[in-house]
Amino acid sequence: MPILTARILRLLSTVWLLGAVASFPLPGEAANIVALKGADVDVYDEALDGFKSVASRAQVSQYDMEGDLQRGKRFLARLKSGPKPDLILAIGIWALQVVVEEIRDIPVVFAMVLNPSTVIGQEARNITGASMNVPIEQQIALLKKASPQARRIGVIYDPSKTGFLIKQAERIARDQGVRLLPKAIASPKDSFAALDAMQGEIDALWILPDVTVLAPESVQYMLLFSFRNGIPLLGLSENQARMGALFGLSFGSGRDIGIQAGEIANEILSGRRAEEIPFTTARRLRLTVNLKTAGKLGLQVPKEILDRADVVIR
Amino acid sequence: MKVRLRAVLSLPLILLLAGSIRLADATDLKDTISNLYGGQGILLEPLPLPFPSQESRFQASSLQGLDQLNTQLTSAIGVPSFNSSVGGFLFDIERGVPVQTTESLGPLLTERATTLGARKLDLTFTYTRVNFTKLQGKDLNDLELVFLRGDANGNGIIDTSGPFSFESDVIRATLSVDLTEDIIALIATYGLTAEWDVGFVVPVTHIRFIAKSQAAIFDQFGNPGGTKVGDIPIHQFGSNSNCNPPVIPPSSTATCNASGGGNETGLGDIVLRTKYNFLRHYDDLIPDMAFLVELKLPTGDEGALLGTGGTNVTGLIVASKTYARWFTPHVNLGYEIDTKDTRESAIRYALGFDARLLPELTLAAGIIGRAKPNGTGTGDHIVDLSLGVKWNPIKSLILRTNVQIPLDKNSGLRADFIPTVGIEYLF
């Protein structure tokens, strides 16, 4: 009986090994990767180029959903009916949305997605990737460096969209010796009262990548608040810096994010499981500094920040 | 993709080759009206002795009249408007999502500030038919020129009585002009970067220019045949008047018909263009802005009326903004410098919108104007209404059609309407 048990165990372990080997490309064999692009956008093409430059041993075929979720779903349905690829690269939030709904048994790496955890549920163990979120540590550090006396950072957010970010940010702010003052809003019009309530209570203001917060009227009011109260505003892009935010901090380039996604894909193709690899944030950043705003706020932007800035608006 | 691209890119060469073929005879089509009656104005039959010769008495005025009309007509033939294309999606960095910019499929003859997108290629073939019907408000089938005789007795006036009353005789020429253009154009636009497009327009034109004239002599009272001495008319057409059919005295000499013109086919004036989108906003009401530069090269044969014979440089400021993801108003304003004839330099403007009525269907409308501050008096201010639709039946293929309707037919050489159909593909 023990001999039989040992034989069964040996057989099972052999089958498991064969299965494991069969599920990953053999050394020298090019992995088959399908890249699903949410739309035809330059920055997605850059990400794909970056991905290919790293995942150079893989054969990457691409499909453009052209912004149509149904088209993406139909494509994935066809994909599932044939030989399965070794990995799916989902570029952009729309591609990730359809992949989350349709794909359970193929490893998925995403790229160029903001706040991916709002799309990916806890149960999706086959998905990881490179987000385009800017590391919170670096955002808070930038505000502290620009205004060393800043101890209180105000932020408005919609709990249903970026509640998870606020939890992380509160912890990181505490570690960096500053206090986060978050005010929850449910709609863009709530932002006026939320900001008014912060008057005199904060030393800096931070714009989150939250669609409720990013309504034009909310952004305009935050810019106004920054000027009226003489406090720096950290925005999400060069565009916001041009509108009057002191800083605009965004991901460096689509190519950088694609490279990060390619590195994750390589790990998965080497045998590591997707669920073991945490989502990454942008490794390289693009900083815009608006010196006109700094002048109006009476702030001297340290040389160290100006030296690392990609764009300086004078 | 590569094979398809190669095939598509070879088309300009085919068009260039086609452009080198001239189908008409050697006489310049451009001088069709000047060349009526032999190209030397209207000559009359010499009178028998002892009368002084009246042969060239109407030559100067007829030459001037025919040349003026010729210039009015031929200088007003131009290259129709062609616009560049706009792309599908932009990326909103703050929200992390693509933003569809072609909530509509773009305008037809005016320009939007947005560009095609990096490494995108858009190819469009259009066919335009222009059947000119009016010149300065006058029907091209019923143009009238009146040629005056010179002063015979040197008294400084045109006598209406006395022995020199024949100075008041006139020649009235009624002209019928058939002037049409068929233009096939290849319009290519390539996105060098996300904000910078370059492109060209290669037109191949078939032009038909036929003029028929009937000249008749009248006296000051409008009597056909003009003043007579006894039975002998002082002014009469004859064998050197180049009438067709020939007029040979003493048969009827009071009228003289002539015709001329023909067809030409060939390469028109190539337009090179570049557009830079220097201001782009995603949220607020501030419009997107672009600067567009066009260079029209004199590649078309001027004599064959296939080109204007000069180099034109145009700079345009373009502003547009998409609202509610379907409605895009746009404004264009700029100046076109005609380096060959500065009087033809013009302020160019356009005001319009395109609106996506259905996901696959866009309506475009606009007012397109051209005003010459130092113009010659012919077509100094031209305003057209442009109406059209774009239909996107599959993927990146767009079918387009529009009609250009003159809002003021009293200015310049005008057609009742100018229809254009086209097919566009975005690679």
Side-chain angles (χ1 to χ4, degrees):
Chain A
M1 191 65 180
I3 294 168
L4 184 63
T5 308
R7 276 183 184 168
I8 290 170
L9 279 175
R10 204 158 45 231
L11 183 66
L12 284 174
S13 60
T14 306
V15 168
W16 181 83
L17 269 174
L18 280 173
V21 167
S23 64
F24 293 105
L26 293 169
E29 184 191 350
N32 177 22
I33 297 177
V34 170
L36 181 64
K37 222 167 50 166
D40 192 10
V41 189
D42 295 338
V43 76
Y44 287 178
D45 289 334
E46 290 169 19
L48 186 56
D49 286 347
F51 181 89
K52 285 177 180 172
S53 71
V54 174
S56 54
R57 285 186 297 117
Q59 276 190 349
V60 183
S61 52
Q62 60 170 304
Y63 183 83
D64 179 6
M65 286 166 50
E66 298 180 17
D68 183 344
L69 297 188
Q70 293 309 317
R71 183 191 288 258
K73 285 180 184 175
R74 286 196 297 271
F75 168 73
L76 290 178
R78 287 204 307 272
L79 191 73
K80 285 193 289 188
S81 65
K84 287 179 184 166
D86 299 308
L87 187 140
I88 293 175
L89 170 66
I91 307 175
I93 188 108
W94 295 336
L96 181 59
Q97 279 172 345
V98 293
V99 166
V100 165
E101 283 184 35
E102 301 293 323
I103 303 294
R104 292 276 183 273
D105 54 351
I106 302 171
V108 174
V109 173
F110 64 78
M112 295 303 299
V113 177
L114 198 58
N115 304 334
S117 54
T118 58
V119 178
I120 305 166
Q122 294 292 332
E123 69 282 1
R125 298 185 179 283
N126 60 326
I127 301 175
T128 186
S131 82
M132 42 184 269
N133 284 63
V134 173
I136 295 169
E137 294 87 344
Q138 296 205 31
Q139 298 184 70
I140 293 175
L142 177 66
L143 279 174
K144 274 187 69 185
K145 211 169 278 176
S147 181
Q149 71 282 9
R151 290 288 174 271
R152 302 161 301 174
I153 298 173
V155 60
I156 56 172
Y157 74 106
D158 181 343
S160 67
K161 308 281 188 334
T162 48
F164 70 99
L165 271 182
I166 290 295
K167 279 182 191 161
Q168 291 174 28
E170 281 179 320
R171 180 179 48 76
I172 293 164
R174 222 174 14 249
D175 292 348
Q176 295 198 14
V178 294
R179 193 154 66 88
L180 201 68
L181 269 78
K183 293 277 182 197
I185 61 170
S187 75
K189 65 177 187 296
D190 296 344
S191 59
F192 308 127
L195 285 164
D196 288 343
M198 289 185 196
Q199 203 143 13
E201 302 291 320
I202 58 172
D203 308 311
L205 189 59
W206 175 30
I207 303 179
L208 278 188
D210 180 315
V211 287
T212 309
V213 173
L214 288 172
E217 60 267 35
S218 299
V219 174
Q220 292 288 351
Y221 202 69
M222 281 192 270
L223 289 164
L224 197 64
F225 187 91
S226 160
F227 285 117
R228 277 183 184 161
N229 295 280
I231 59 167
L233 174 64
L234 171 58
L236 296 165
S237 64
E238 181 182 334
N239 186 43
Q240 286 182 344
R242 290 195 181 279
M243 288 165 73
L246 178 63
F247 299 121
L249 191 62
S250 61
F251 67 95
S253 72
R255 185 175 171 81
D256 291 334
I257 303 289
I259 288 171
Q260 287 181 261
E263 290 167 357
I264 294 170
N266 281 345
E267 286 189 54
I268 292 171
L269 294 173
S270 300
R272 206 168 159 201
R273 288 187 297 164
E275 63 184 300
E276 295 170 1
I277 306 172
F279 309 157
T280 59
T281 50
R283 196 160 47 195
R284 288 189 185 178
L285 303 176
R286 180 177 170 82
L287 172 64
T288 305
V289 180
N290 189 333
L291 285 184
K292 288 181 189 167
T293 300
K296 284 179 187 163
L297 299 178
L299 275 176
Q300 189 76 34
V301 178
K303 186 173 179 303
E304 184 190 347
I305 293 178
L306 289 176
D307 286 346
R308 67 164 278 211
D310 299 278
V311 180
V312 177
I313 301 162
R314 295 175 194 278
Chain B
M1 172 73 174
K2 275 182 184 168
V3 173
R4 204 168 28 164
L5 260 183
R6 212 177 298 146
V8 167
L9 292 176
S10 62
L11 276 167
L13 291 174
I14 296 167
L15 292 173
L16 279 170
L17 191 64
S20 65
I21 302 166
R22 283 187 62 174
L23 299 180
D25 49 28
T27 310
D28 272 348
L29 208 58
K30 190 183 181 189
D31 298 324
T32 293
I33 290 182
S34 295
N35 285 341
L36 291 172
Y37 304 103
Q40 50 199 350
I42 299 178
L43 294 175
L44 298 181
E45 185 70 5
L47 283 179
L49 290 171
F51 298 106
S53 172
Q54 302 299 321
E55 187 180 0
S56 59
R57 296 304 179 190
F58 284 91
Q59 188 179 16
S61 68
S62 61
L63 261 179
Q64 190 176 11
L66 291 169
D67 282 353
Q68 264 179 359
L69 178 62
N70 198 74
T71 306
Q72 275 188 315
L73 274 167
T74 57
S75 66
I77 301 170
V79 180
S81 305
F82 300 103
N83 77 332
S84 57
S85 298
V86 291
F89 287 96
L90 295 172
F91 192 69
D92 181 343
I93 286 177
E94 292 139 21
R95 291 175 180 76
V97 290
V99 180
Q100 200 168 20
T101 59
T102 50
E103 284 81 13
S104 85
L105 302 166
L108 281 146
L109 294 182
T110 53
E111 288 284 345
R112 261 204 209 176
T114 41
T115 44
L116 198 60
R119 299 190 301 276
K120 302 267 173 54
L121 173 67
D122 181 278
L123 290 179
T124 303
F125 283 97
T126 61
Y127 166 71
T128 302
R129 167 88 171 169
V130 191
N131 181 15
F132 295 104
T133 55
K134 300 269 186 196
L135 177 69
Q136 295 288 96
K138 292 172 190 156
D139 195 333
L140 280 187
N141 284 322
D142 191 21
L143 295 170
E144 188 179 79
L145 295 174
V146 178
F147 309 133
L148 303 178
R149 188 198 187 288
D151 182 14
N153 58 6
N155 66 357
I157 56 167
I158 303 294
D159 291 0
T160 54
S161 60
F164 288 92
S165 62
F166 63 87
E167 287 178 359
S168 302
D169 282 6
V170 295
I171 295 177
R172 289 183 199 280
T174 307
L175 285 96
S176 168
V177 174
D178 176 7
L179 181 54
T180 57
E181 276 186 298
D182 295 277
I183 304 161
I184 293 173
L186 165 67
I187 308 165
T189 309
Y190 182 72
L192 287 179
T193 69
E195 298 87 20
W196 187 16
D197 283 352
V198 292
F200 61 78
V201 179
V202 180
V204 172
T205 302
H206 173 80
I207 188 157
R208 174 181 164 82
F209 186 13
I210 305 283
K212 291 177 184 167
S213 170
Q214 184 182 58
I217 300 165
F218 296 90
D219 67 12
Q220 60 179 306
F221 306 108
N223 297 314
T227 307
K228 291 176 183 160
V229 179
D231 288 338
I232 303 172
I234 295 199
H235 304 117
Q236 58 181 326
F237 297 112
S239 54
N240 59 351
S241 301
N242 285 303
C243 306
N244 183 18
V247 171
I248 301 166
S251 65
S252 174
T253 58
T255 59
C256 175
N257 295 338
S259 60
N263 296 272
E264 289 278 7
T265 301
L267 178 69
D269 286 344
I270 290 177
V271 179
L272 306 178
R273 61 198 313 172
T274 182
K275 182 164 77 174
Y276 186 73
N277 176 202
F278 61 88
L279 196 62
R280 189 174 285 183
H281 289 264
Y282 295 105
D283 295 325
D284 43 39
L285 294 171
I286 301 170
D288 301 326
M289 305 279 287
F291 192 68
L292 183 140
V293 177
E294 273 185 3
L295 182 67
K296 184 172 73 60
L297 302 170
T299 48
D301 184 339
E302 185 189 5
L305 288 176
L306 299 171
T308 57
T311 301
N312 289 22
V313 184
T314 305
L316 278 178
I317 289 282
V318 182
S320 65
K321 188 75 186 172
T322 300
Y323 298 103
R325 306 193 66 169
W326 68 279
F327 181 71
T328 309
H330 33 76
V331 178
N332 304 172
L333 181 65
Y335 195 71
E336 179 174 352
I337 300 167
D338 188 325
T339 58
K340 186 186 166 204
D341 183 355
T342 52
R343 293 172 307 171
E344 293 296 317
S345 297
I347 296 165
R348 278 173 52 178
Y349 63 89
L351 177 69
F353 70 89
D354 48 273
R356 188 171 214 173
L357 303 180
L358 297 169
E360 307 82 18
L361 191 73
T362 288
L363 169 75
I367 302 287
I368 305 166
R370 186 184 280 259
K372 300 175 197 164
N374 306 306
T376 55
T378 302
D380 284 353
H381 190 192
I382 282 176
V383 190
D384 286 350
L385 170 69
S386 168
L387 291 171
V389 289
K390 281 187 170 184
W391 179 44
N392 178 205
I394 48 165
K395 207 169 161 45
S396 299
L397 182 80
I398 295 173
L399 302 176
R400 49 195 278 178
T401 180
N402 81 291
V403 61
Q404 210 174 322
I405 303 162
L407 292 182
D408 179 7
K409 287 189 186 170
N410 294 324
S411 181
L413 179 65
R414 315 306 301 272
D416 290 336
F417 60 93
I418 302 173
T420 297
V421 291
I423 184 166
E424 180 174 350
Y425 197 85
L426 183 67
F427 293 89

